[in-house]
């Protein structure tokens, strides 16, 4: 059974100086991400979304905590597990739902699906299905910022399979040699599709050794604790801006659902992991643990009001997306 190297971390004390408004804003982002994913999870079996979907339920704290430290003009890239970074960068939920439903108002005109989201005005330059690409693209954006003497940074979200691509090593080396202001966000959820990382394509897979060997600053962080994610990524982003150097963070987390689709996969009897393991990791839930902290502060009423508002709003947006128009034949050749 795969266990976390961290204890269940309920320590959010570093966030104590934050105002009630700011704390509720963080919870809003966490719960909003979770609920949007749950709507997709619940609606997916109705067969109206004609796209594979890779849900990130269980991994919300990483994108929320990192994106809270970004500016609108920073540039974000991700891979197939794209919804959470898209949502955290304030990408439109209406456009997300339309994209999944293959509608014209989708973020890619309904032609890209879940793995090709885009929200340029929010700095989310795109997700791609081809592993390793987000790493290369983020380095290109970082190089552009540097050449244009802009103070912005670029960010790549990826899992461990991307680190098995040649492009990733060349890119990390390039970023180190050329002082590129890029944050590499490695979401270590322990699995690639249905294979544990330790059975992957590399002998003695050790990103820390690789990254440090290339001269890049490496941090390891509990990716299920929003406070740790927020403060460590703030430190990394300040470091990147001050030194114009890349930083690589390995966030430890866990994907609750199957690799692709809305179901728990222990129920599918494929047995690459057990129900016991998934239940163990659910105790590390990034949304529930932060909620408990806020309830202890006496914010119960604010939380239930906030949750109700989000549920109502997101459900209405989904209904609106369902009714919106499909692309017509002529649209096939636009934006290609
Ligand atoms: C270059 C390339 N090789 C293989 C695939 C097929 N593929 C899609 S997702 C995936 C596993 C990704 O696992 P990981 O990087 O750990 O991310 P996670 O799904 O855990 O978020 C694979 C092998 C691909 N999309 N691109």
């Amino acid at each position: 059974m795969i266990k976390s190297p961290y204890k269940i971390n309920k320590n959010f004390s570093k966030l104590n100086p934050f105002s009630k408004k700011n704390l509720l804003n963080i919870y809003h982002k966490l719960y909003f991400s979770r609920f949007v994913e749950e709507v997709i999870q619940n609606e997916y079996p109705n067969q109206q979304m004609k796209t594979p979907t890779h849900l990130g339920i269980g991994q919300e704290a990483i994108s929320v905590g990192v994106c809270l430290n970004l500016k609108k003009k920073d540039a974000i890239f991700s891979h197939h597990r794209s919804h959470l970074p898209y949502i955290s960068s304030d990408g439109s939920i209406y456009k997300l739902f339309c994209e999944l439903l293959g509608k014209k108002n989708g973020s890619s005109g309904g032609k890209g699906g879940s793995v090709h989201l885009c929200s340029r005005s929010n700095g989310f330059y795109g997700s791609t299905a081809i592993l390793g690409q987000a790493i290369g693209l983020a380095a290109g954006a970082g190089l552009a910022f540097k050449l244009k003497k802009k103070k912005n940074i670029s960010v790549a979200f990826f899992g461990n399979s991307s680190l098995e691509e040649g492009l990733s090593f060349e890119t990390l080396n390039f970023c180190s040699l050329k002082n590129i202001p890029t944050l590499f966000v490695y979401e270590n959820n322990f699995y690639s599709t249905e294979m544990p990382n330790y059975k992957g394509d590399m002998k003695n897979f050790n990103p820390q050794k690789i990254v440090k060997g290339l001269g890049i600053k490496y941090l390891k962080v509990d990716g299920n604790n929003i406070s740790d994610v927020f403060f460590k990524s703030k430190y990394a982003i300040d470091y990147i801006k001050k030194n114009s150097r890349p930083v690589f963070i390995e966030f430890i987390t866990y994907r609750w659902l199957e690799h692709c689709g809305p179901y728990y996969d222990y129920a599918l009897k494929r047995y690459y992991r057990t129900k016991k393991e998934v239940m163990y990791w659910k105790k590390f839930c990034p949304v529930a643990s932060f909620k408990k902290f806020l309830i202890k502060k006496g914010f119960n009423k604010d939380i239930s009001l906030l949750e109700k508002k989000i549920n109502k709003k997101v459900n209405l947006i989904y209904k609106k997306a369902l009714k919106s128009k499909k692309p017509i034949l002529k649209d096939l050749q636009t934006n290609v």
Side-chain angles (χ1 to χ4, degrees), residues 54-56 59 79-82 115 128-133 158-165 186-195 197 201 255 258-260:
H54 305 81
L55 297 169
Q59 304 187 191
H79 285 109
H80 54 289
R81 214 164 294 289
S82 54
V115 293
T128 159
I130 308 303
L131 299 171
Q133 276 192 342
F158 54 92
N160 79 290
S161 284
S162 290
L163 287 175
E164 294 177 355
E165 296 299 322
Y186 167 31
E187 300 187 80
N188 182 1
N189 62 19
F190 294 97
Y191 289 97
S192 292
T193 56
E194 297 175 1
M195 184 166 67
N197 292 354
D201 290 335
R255 150 171 73 76
E258 59 189 329
H259 166 67
C260 182

Side-chain angles (χ1 to χ4, degrees), residues 80-122:
H80 54 289
R81 214 164 294 289
S82 54
H83 304 173
L84 294 177
Y86 172 93
I87 298 168
S88 294
S89 60
D90 293 333
S92 150
I93 296 311
Y94 174 63
K95 288 186 178 176
L96 168 66
F97 289 152
C98 283
E99 191 57 42
L100 302 184
L101 290 161
K103 302 295 181 91
K104 189 171 173 159
N105 287 334
S107 81
S108 299
K111 291 185 285 186
S114 161
V115 293
H116 298 114
L117 302 178
C118 185
S119 177
R120 277 197 183 191
S121 56
N122 292 303

